[in-house]
Amino acid sequence: MARKTFVGKVISNKMTKTAVVAVEIPKRDPFYGKSIRNTAKFKVHCDTPVAIGGKVKIEECRPLSGHKNWIIKEVIKT
């Protein structure tokens, strides 16, 4: 089974080896058909420090702690 990947923006890097990444997930309203952007926040494991506002690609992985199930696969833009 393929692992989920998302591209998101780093909104916090104050924790040790952890960053919070916001991912916008577009959806269509089932009744009106209007596009809706839902924002999901993920706690992500990162060995190297990442700047706030940077664009990163994250990938699902095994549980690393109670809330961390994602790793940073690559830094797209700093």
Side-chain angles (χ1 to χ4, degrees):
M1 190 166 149
R3 294 181 176 187
K4 293 180 188 175
T5 58
F6 290 118
V7 175
K9 181 179 173 184
V10 177
I11 57 173
S12 174
N13 61 359
K14 295 183 179 183
M15 295 171 272
T16 307
K17 293 191 177 183
T18 305
V20 180
V21 176
V23 175
E24 285 189 354
I25 302 168
K27 289 188 175 182
R28 303 286 281 172
D29 185 87
F31 185 75
Y32 294 106
K34 182 178 178 181
S35 294
I36 301 170
R37 289 181 300 175
N38 288 343
T39 303
K41 293 180 189 175
F42 297 105
K43 288 187 178 159
V44 180
H45 180 77
C46 58
D47 290 325
T48 59
V50 193
I52 293 177
K55 204 172 193 182
V56 293
K57 185 178 200 176
I58 62 173
E59 184 179 73
E60 194 176 31
C61 68
R62 66 181 179 83
L64 299 170
S65 70
H67 297 284
K68 277 200 297 189
N69 296 333
W70 298 84
I71 57 170
I72 291 181
K73 200 64 177 170
E74 68 175 287
V75 178
I76 298 171
K77 182 180 176 186
T78 56

